[in-house]
Every structure is written in C-alpha cells, then in structure tokens.
Amino acid sequence: MTRTRIERVRAAVGIASLALQQIEDDLSADDVDQEELAAILRELIEDTDPPGGFIPFLAQLVTAAARRAEQIEPDRDGDASCPLHEAAALITDNAGMRLIWAARSLQPQGER
C-alpha cells in the first residue's frame, strides 16, 4: 500500500516530535550545567553537522513551503507566501539569534 504525502509528513512530524522530546528530557536533567546547556543551544542553531542545526533547517522547511505557496496561491497575491517567508525570517533572526545570545551568556569562551 502506498502512503499518501500527508501520511508521510504526519509520520515524519511524529519522529521529529520524539527527537525533540528527547532533547527536552536532556535539558530537564538535574545534572545539566552551564557549559553543557550552552553546547546544547549551539547544537540547535549552528551549522556544525551538515545539513545544519535544527533552527536553520526549520527555517529552510518553512521557506520551501513559502516558495510552493507562491506557485499555487490564488491570484499570486502573497496572502499565503508572505506570512511563510516572514515566519522563516523570524525563526532565523529572532529564535536563532536569541539561542546564540543565550549560549554566549552561559559560556562565552565556548564560541568557535
């Protein structure tokens, strides 16, 4: 039986959710210190292991949705694509930068 696209997406989101739950569990551990927390934050944002950190990949995913929306939205008016492009920028600029700032605050000498 062939799975539909939405079924594949749903399964992938489920897998990603499990992975994110594991990260949350690790962040909640009593023995996480400043250095380790800074390292975890850097893993979420930095392009240290191609194809990149979680935050850049999430922004890339939203950008792909925006590009597709540009092609299929009625009247090509940007009602769908513009908010998606803005969301991708917010993920990178706001969330990404705040993670970097937090990691620097926790461990300034850990920067590469």
Side-chain angles (χ1 to χ4, degrees):
M1 176 167 70
T2 304
R3 291 170 45 171
T4 66
R5 180 174 290 118
I6 194 67
E7 288 172 330
R8 289 190 308 270
V9 169
R10 189 174 293 128
V13 167
I15 292 167
S17 295
L18 291 173
L20 292 172
Q21 181 61 54
Q22 178 61 55
I23 294 168
E24 183 179 348
D25 291 347
D26 288 337
L27 287 168
S28 301
D30 291 335
D31 61 343
V32 174
D33 63 11
Q34 247 181 272
E35 183 177 324
E36 190 172 27
L37 180 55
I40 291 169
L41 295 175
R42 285 187 177 95
E43 286 299 318
L44 292 174
I45 189 62
E46 291 182 353
D47 194 9
T48 57
D49 185 18
F54 171 75
I55 297 294
F57 186 77
L58 181 58
Q60 178 182 336
L61 182 78
V62 175
T63 298
R67 288 184 184 136
R68 184 63 186 144
E70 288 171 353
Q71 297 170 352
I72 63 174
E73 61 192 346
D75 302 324
R76 302 212 186 265
D77 55 9
D79 284 350
S81 60
C82 285
L84 289 169
H85 280 298
E86 290 170 2
L90 287 171
I91 290 167
T92 301
D93 297 343
N94 290 345
M97 286 308 301
R98 281 169 172 70
L99 287 173
I100 291 169
W101 294 337
R104 286 179 181 167
S105 173
L106 290 166
Q107 188 194 24
Q109 68 274 16
E111 293 182 39
R112 295 183 186 131

